[in-house]
Amino acid sequence: MRGLDEARACFEEFGRPMLREQFPEYEGRVAVGLVGRGSECFGFDDALSRDHDFPQGFCLWLTDEDDLKIGVALSRAYRALPIRQSAQRSAMAEESRGVHRLSAFYRRYTGMNGAPETWQQWMSLPSYALAEATNGEVWLDELGAFTAIRQQLLTGMPEDVRLKKLAARAVEMAQSGQYNYARCLAHGEEGAAMLALADFVRSTAQMIYLLNRRHAPYYKWLLRGMDELPKLAELRPALDFLLTAENDETGRATKTGVIEDICASIVRELTAQGLTDGNWDYLENHAFGLMERIQTPEIRAMHVMEG
């Protein structure tokens, strides 16, 4: 059973009766689900995932006002539930289950009590933090406070910020994949060529998430998460190939060809979304075209590689 399914079953068996019996007047004010760090929150867990930092349980989120009234009592009631804790706990583990102030939960990922309010805040937040703040499932939120912030984080990124990030990824793809990979090989620098490929794959995957208007998870789940994207998910095997196959040799340009095919797919999607009207093969040209579509003067004035 997936961790998300197990957590929901745990809530239905133990959590919902606890709320109904001990906190009936607050049952409609507590948000419940499983969101945050951990493969299980993304739905990516398997048998190996359970060897550390995999406690049973779920999250309960309270407003600041309700936390002052019942936070301590609710935490005690949760800890009294007959659910297991993780057998192995890593040094980086944190209390991911149990009772949380919803403001403190979001502050952990965004640095503020809710969603960003300015383009500068959106620009500075790493995508993996936004992915962790909006993954998983919310099963109960009659009050709607937790879900309102969640929805803003999912859909509220200003379009000019997205354009700027797309431009930066396009330049990175051009520099690392279309230019530097082959040059590193020509210099006899195999290790540098692999670094260039890794940077190309990372930038390409992040570009694909942006084109899907999704937040990219951190590197461990970056490619795995592509499987669930509606657009360009078919590029994942090609990205895996770039990282796992042998480098190009003299007279054989397999990876170089794959890089160009990937870039061509990206250009087609940019064109389909009305984000470029150029027919260049080299992505750097499209990056500057993206910059020209930005309406906010301060964002448009940023270096093309920022964001």
Side-chain angles (χ1 to χ4, degrees), residues 98-109:
V99 180
H100 307 271
R101 282 192 177 199
L102 67 88
S103 59
F105 173 86
Y106 283 117
R107 191 162 58 247
R108 178 187 307 165
Y109 300 103

Side-chain angles (χ1 to χ4, degrees), residues 134-170:
T134 56
N135 63 14
E137 296 175 353
V138 180
W139 313 310
L140 180 66
D141 187 14
E142 293 181 24
L143 188 64
F146 185 86
T147 304
I149 298 173
R150 178 181 174 87
Q151 190 62 28
Q152 183 65 13
L153 291 175
L154 284 168
T155 63
M157 178 183 289
E159 180 63 4
D160 279 358
V161 172
R162 186 176 82 109
L163 289 171
K164 183 68 201 68
K165 290 180 177 291
L166 284 167
R169 300 296 85 74

Side-chain angles (χ1 to χ4, degrees), residues 37 52-55 86 88-96:
R37 294 176 183 168
H52 72 286
D53 300 340
F54 203 96
S86 178
Q88 297 293 328
R89 187 177 175 88
S90 70
M92 298 296 289
E94 59 183 34
E95 293 298 330
S96 57

